[in-house]
Amino acid sequence: MSNCWRSRRGTVFSCGFEPGLFSCFGVLLLTTHVLYGEANTNTSVVVQKDAQFDITYLDTVTSENQTIYAFNHTVSKNKTEGVRVSVELLSERPNGPVLFVVRQKQAVLSFQVPLILRGLYQRKYQYTQVGRTLCQPPTLALSEMQFFYVDVSTLSTSGVHYQLRVSRVESFTLQTDKKFTFNATPSQPQFFKYVFPDGEDTVIVKVNSQKNFPCSVMSIQDIQCPVYDLDNNVAFIGMYQTMTKTGAITVQRKDFPSNSFYVVVVVKTEDEACGGPLKFYSLLPDELLDAGNRSKTLDVVVSPAINSNVYIMGVLFCLGIFLSFYILTFLVACIENKRLHRKRAGLLKAADMSPAETAPLLGKGLSPASPYEYGSFADNGSTMSSEPVTDSMASAETNDGYMERPLDVVGRCRQESLSSVEEDDYDTLADIDSDKNIVRTKKYLCVSDLARKDKRVLNKKYQIYFWNIATIAVFYALPVIQLVITYQTVVNVTGNQDICYYNFLCAHPLGALSSFNNILSNLGYVMLGLLFLLIVLQRDILHNRALMRNDTPALECGIPKHFGLFYAMGTALMMEGLLSACYHVCPNYTNFQFDTSFMYMIAGLCMLKLYQKRHPDINASAYSAYACLAAVIFFSVLGVVFGKGNTAFWVVFSVIHIVATMLLSTQLYYVGRWRLDSGILRRILYVIYTDCIRQCSGPMYIDRMVLLVMGNIVNWSL
């Protein structure tokens, strides 16, 4: 006897004939006596078998025997060959799990069967079929023979039947633009290797499936052992992304020193992470659940991404389009300025004409010495009306009532400091009695004739819109930018792409930005918003200069000029671009309001500006307007946060929405001539009884009713 292999309950001793022989046996007997209290002749026999690929081995293992399968294969430096170990437990209810240990030259892989994977709330799922792909560490030699061993053992006293098969993986190394289809389960994950070809620095790995569930995870990991390919450890290293039908990760060569990486695909034990249903199970202690059929067919393809030249062309193209608007605006401004200079020169030339040359003008009642009066009379030719004046106050003013207003007083009012304006002035309409002859003597009325409130006060109140939205933008944008930077840092450091999962399929990174193209697409908001502000600023400056010159058209013609809302609209347009870019850096379900908040702002300000164009004396308070927009944004956030899959939320919202539209419709139909009080139900029932039951009578205002019915149908259908 030259060697002996014997173990007592898993303890292996190897003894040989040498001077310490009796000491070896003494230690053996002492250890056995201390651990078990008595000598026991039961031993664990180790059996080693030479095994081959693609052959299924059916065997039995107990606590008294351990089987080692020895495999060998040739490993080449220029070619990577995948090896997969598949195990199935044939015994229905074994007394204990079977442990499989795969020993390689530079790696060790171990797993038990049945395999236990945990889900939410500590649920336990068992799988009796397990398949694992062996990690293939790189070799330095051009070609060498390598051995690996599969050890099978258990502590079950009764025999456990199992099936073992080791096979080579076809298409283990992925090729560019070649799709490969495979199957995966939670206990049978798959991973493949990809090597960057020469000239390619960035590729996009896409994984697709025909069905949403079961939920799965794709991961990109470096070439190192072990490979984390189970649901409970796939997020340990590399980049990973949870997916239903489609997932995509952009991979850059600079992130992988070996110029290669693993593409790992894992099927999750539950679908809750993908928004799927979570089945109800009784939570009994240590209860093992049957996961059912969670097999999923997927295909993977690696495509080259765009290169730096495409980035440069895309940036230049976008900048060229938006800068063309600046150039066009500049050309239009130059042409308009030249036209105004020609017109002014012509009017000045007419003022210097001789009396004979100016007779035709005088016959029309125009004064060549007052070129601005010429422009005013041309715009308001109806001021020389020959209609009789019936008001006694206008009898002395004959037909020149509108133009004989004290324009110097108006000019002085425009030049006064706005800081001296009080809020109480805007409701003072004491001059309406003295100025009502203006309305009565003009054949055609203008909006400015009906604008009786002090323009200084209105201008000051409209400026509040700009300062308020500027304050809102600063306080809103700073935390948004900080949060987005944090999100981007988390994505780059941890590799967790689930927090920015909306746009990786079409994302093109640049530096630390994971989606540069989606930021570039929002550049137009900022550049065109700035152009809008410059145009408004130019109009504001020209209008103020006209007021300083006491220009009659600027003083008396057209709608009163208030630029505060225009400044607010331009600021909102620029902020929409900034916040939309922040959203698209890391888009997900929770920060969607970044992209929509200033959309509501723009829509609300446009509505206010359109209303102000025809109601110059009615000024909505900036504080009330922004408070209403804040309420709209608040309810939209509630819908985003609580509305996903929540039927009760949508039922409550629908009831509130329908009631609100009915109240608004009533307000519009009766033009505000109704009351919402405790007797509203009684009056509704009375109207139904008198107009519908006792006699069938149609609505009093047919046109309003038709429009309101159409509007309600649209709202309710949404």
Side-chain angles (χ1 to χ4, degrees), residues 297-323:
T297 302
L298 307 103
D299 55 72
V300 58
V301 60
V302 183
S303 305
I306 61 176
N307 53 33
S308 58
N309 293 330
V310 180
Y311 275 88
I312 296 174
M313 292 298 297
V315 172
L316 294 179
F317 180 75
C318 290
L319 289 176
I321 290 178
F322 300 132
L323 288 176

Side-chain angles (χ1 to χ4, degrees), residues 648-664:
F649 172 84
W650 290 112
V651 169
V652 174
F653 169 77
S654 299
V655 171
I656 296 175
H657 183 224
I658 291 175
V659 171
T661 53
M662 291 295 294
L663 293 176
L664 181 59

Side-chain angles (χ1 to χ4, degrees), residues 40 157 168 181 295 302 488 490 493 501 544 566 568 590 657 700:
N40 196 328
T157 55
R168 292 179 173 86
T181 304
S295 176
V302 183
Q488 193 65 59
V490 170
V493 173
Y501 58 84
N544 289 331
F566 282 128
T590 58
H657 183 224
M700 184 178 299

Side-chain angles (χ1 to χ4, degrees), residues 459 537-550 563:
N459 186 68
L537 178 62
Q538 182 205 25
R539 293 182 59 185
D540 194 3
I541 294 174
L542 293 178
H543 181 67
N544 289 331
R545 289 177 180 175
L547 294 180
M548 295 295 293
R549 295 194 306 266
N550 289 333
F563 298 94

Side-chain angles (χ1 to χ4, degrees), residues 9-22:
R9 306 270 181 143
T11 305
V12 180
F13 296 91
S14 176
C15 303
F17 288 109
E18 52 187 47
L21 175 63
F22 295 100

